Amino acid sequence: MFKINDNYLRLQGSYLFSTVAKKTNAFMEKNPDRKVIRLGIGDVTQPLAPVIIDTLHKAVEEMGHAETFRGYAPDLGYEFLRKAIAENDYRSRGCEITADEIFVSDGAKSDSGNIQEIFSTDNTIAVCDPVYTVYLDTNVMAGRTGEFDTAAGCFKNVIYMPCLAENNFVPELPGQVPDMIYLCFPNNPTGAAITKERLQEWVDYANKNGSVIIYDAAYEAYITEEDVPHSIYECKGARTCAIELHSFSKNAGFTGLRLGYTVVPKDLMCGDVSLHSLWARRHGTKFNGAPYIVQRAGEAVYSEEGKKQLQEQVAYYQKNAKYIFEHLKSAGYEVYGGVNAPYIWLKAPNGMTSWEFFDFLLEKANVVGTPGSGFGKCGENYFRLTAFGSFENTVEAIKRIEAL
């Protein structure tokens, strides 16, 4: 008889955002007359920039002619896109990353879940708490963690790094040395950012102890402060200890197109084995490449017109974030984030749990957010709001919350 991968049975409940969606949909069915405003999931709402649309149209037209038709994409992605990424996201910032160290994919979420496949299941992982659930859950699925300890509220054999108001939601270097370290800055869900000096400490720690850092830079476009790095490769020595994940979803609105990339430097080794070679093998075996038309759209992101239009789009969401932060703070809420990230992290009032506050907001204000406890034990009593709604809906949602 066949057997299942029973590591999946260790997972706790359903995927966080699936639960949020189910509860929201159930409320809307019972209350069809209420206008519910969703500030929960981190999905963009503004349409694609004009230069992206024009580029997509041109690429689609190319696919209709034999001389310009494209089939399977190259394993790493088209060179025109990888060169644009290397020049604009790295060399312009003084980072020594070459085009052939960049692997184009269908998004950072996929890569953040898949990257663990090139590492042994004997490795110990360290994750921030609260944490973007994909990092942890995919390691649970792979069998890299122990059972879930219900009393402790965490998985065994995982190093949890508390991110609290007391440490500005930036974790301390762990005393127990992990093999794999997951970091996301600017952070999802807390909206916290890390300074270059502090990130350098993590790079030095990883190199000293033989650890690898999986660094998620999906929200770097929202950085406003000068001492916050856009890439971990701005730190000395990062090429020998870090893999970086990037997304086009939040900086260019590609949540519906799906495009991202992962950087694996050739200097990153495990003994005499190249992680770059391992990821290339995995990538080529299990992935057939992002569509040509989408990669052309990705290239347009780096054009002069693309940069201008997307800066305006990012500024739109940053305006939302500022509005949420300032108005909730004025209303007496304890709020964080919103400066270098499109997320606002707030303390649930009156000692409410995260899910109690979720139900309270949904019922009384008809506003949907994300319970902090869904991101880990240290997220309990906190709540995440996103700045990705329309400005009009954002203003209306905050007015409703202020009126409670």
Side-chain angles (χ1 to χ4, degrees):
M1 182 177 177
F2 68 86
K3 297 180 180 179
I4 62 168
N5 178 354
D6 57 9
N7 292 314
Y8 278 67
L9 302 181
R10 297 178 180 179
L11 295 169
Q12 299 302 295
S14 62
Y15 183 51
L16 170 61
F17 296 105
S18 297
T19 303
V20 169
K22 288 177 182 177
K23 289 175 74 72
T24 303
N25 291 337
F27 176 84
M28 293 174 67
E29 287 180 9
K30 293 180 179 179
N31 303 276
D33 57 324
R34 307 244 193 126
K35 179 187 176 183
V36 173
I37 299 177
R38 299 173 186 258
L39 298 181
I41 192 169
D43 193 5
V44 296
T45 55
Q46 294 302 294
L48 293 170
V51 69
I52 303 299
I53 294 297
D54 290 344
T55 302
L56 286 169
H57 286 167
K58 291 176 183 177
V60 168
E61 182 64 27
E62 287 181 50
M63 297 296 278
H65 302 278
E67 61 272 19
T68 52
F69 173 79
R70 306 289 183 114
Y72 290 128
D75 285 354
L76 273 67
Y78 284 102
E79 189 174 4
F80 60 76
L81 177 56
R82 292 186 289 112
K83 282 186 174 180
I85 292 169
E87 180 59 36
N88 290 276
D89 288 346
Y90 295 103
R91 292 189 177 278
S92 67
R93 294 173 176 146
C95 305
E96 297 181 5
I97 296 297
T98 58
D100 61 354
E101 294 176 316
I102 295 165
F103 297 80
V104 176
S105 72
D106 61 353
K109 180 178 181 178
S110 299
D111 285 352
S112 64
N114 294 331
I115 194 68
Q116 52 80 26
E117 290 187 22
I118 66 173
F119 297 98
S120 168
T121 54
D122 293 337
N123 285 329
T124 302
I125 68 166
V127 297
C128 294
D129 184 5
V131 63
Y132 177 49
T133 55
V134 174
Y135 310 149
L136 181 58
D137 285 358
T138 53
N139 278 282
V140 174
M141 293 172 181
R144 199 169 281 112
T145 73
E147 298 289 342
F148 187 76
D149 186 332
T150 304
C154 57
F155 285 95
K156 296 179 179 179
N157 301 330
V158 173
I159 298 171
Y160 288 88
M161 303 180 293
C163 295
L164 310 166
E166 291 75 14
N167 60 12
N168 295 317
F169 301 101
V170 176
E172 307 295 333
L173 298 172
Q176 180 186 347
V177 177
D179 300 303
M180 300 162 59
I181 302 168
Y182 285 82
L183 295 177
C184 172
F185 289 104
N187 185 257
N188 176 19
T190 66
I194 192 170
T195 64
K196 183 177 179 180
E197 180 181 7
R198 190 69 181 276
L199 186 56
Q200 184 66 59
E201 293 177 5
W202 281 94
V203 170
D204 294 341
Y205 174 92
N207 278 319
K208 176 183 177 181
N209 293 289
S211 305
V212 63
I213 298 173
I214 312 298
Y215 192 77
D216 189 345
Y219 302 96
E220 61 82 20
Y222 292 83
I223 292 172
T224 61
E225 296 177 321
E226 292 186 3
D227 62 342
V228 176
H230 289 257
S231 167
I232 195 170
Y233 301 117
E234 294 179 40
C235 296
K236 184 178 179 180
R239 284 182 55 87
T240 57
C241 70
I243 292 171
E244 185 165 278
L245 313 173
H246 265 263
S247 169
F248 285 79
S249 289
K250 306 308 192 296
N251 67 323
F254 278 31
T255 53
L257 287 183
R258 307 308 306 145
L259 188 68
Y261 66 86
T262 289
V263 178
V264 186
K266 293 181 180 179
D267 296 346
L268 184 53
M269 307 289 290
C270 181
D272 59 355
V273 177
S274 163
L275 269 67
H276 180 276
S277 296
L278 292 183
W279 184 241
R281 183 70 166 97
R282 192 268 171 205
H283 205 63
T285 300
K286 293 191 173 185
F287 184 63
N288 258 346
Y292 168 73
I293 60 174
V294 177
Q295 292 197 48
R296 276 298 186 195
E299 180 189 28
V301 167
Y302 300 104
S303 66
E304 289 305 312
E305 192 62 27
K307 290 177 182 178
K308 179 182 177 181
Q309 292 176 8
L310 294 176
Q311 283 175 354
E312 293 173 355
Q313 197 167 85
V314 168
Y316 180 94
Y317 295 128
Q318 287 174 322
K319 179 182 177 181
N320 288 351
K322 183 178 181 180
Y323 186 93
I324 297 170
F325 182 94
E326 291 182 348
H327 280 256
L328 289 183
K329 187 173 183 179
S330 296
Y333 285 87
E334 185 178 322
V335 290
Y336 305 91
V339 177
N340 297 292
Y343 295 120
I344 288 77
W345 189 243
L346 63 142
K347 191 75 175 288
N350 305 319
M352 290 186 188
T353 67
S354 298
W355 280 107
E356 285 173 347
F357 190 54
F358 174 90
D359 292 335
F360 177 75
L361 278 190
L362 182 58
E363 176 64 34
K364 302 299 183 182
N366 307 151
V367 173
V368 177
T370 307
S373 59
F375 298 100
K377 182 173 67 172
C378 290
E380 182 57 279
N381 302 118
Y382 283 90
F383 202 75
R384 192 192 76 174
L385 293 175
T386 84
F388 287 123
S390 69
F391 182 69
E392 293 74 18
N393 278 347
T394 298
V395 170
E396 175 62 25
I398 300 308
K399 284 182 177 179
R400 294 180 188 180
I401 296 174
E402 290 176 313
L404 294 176

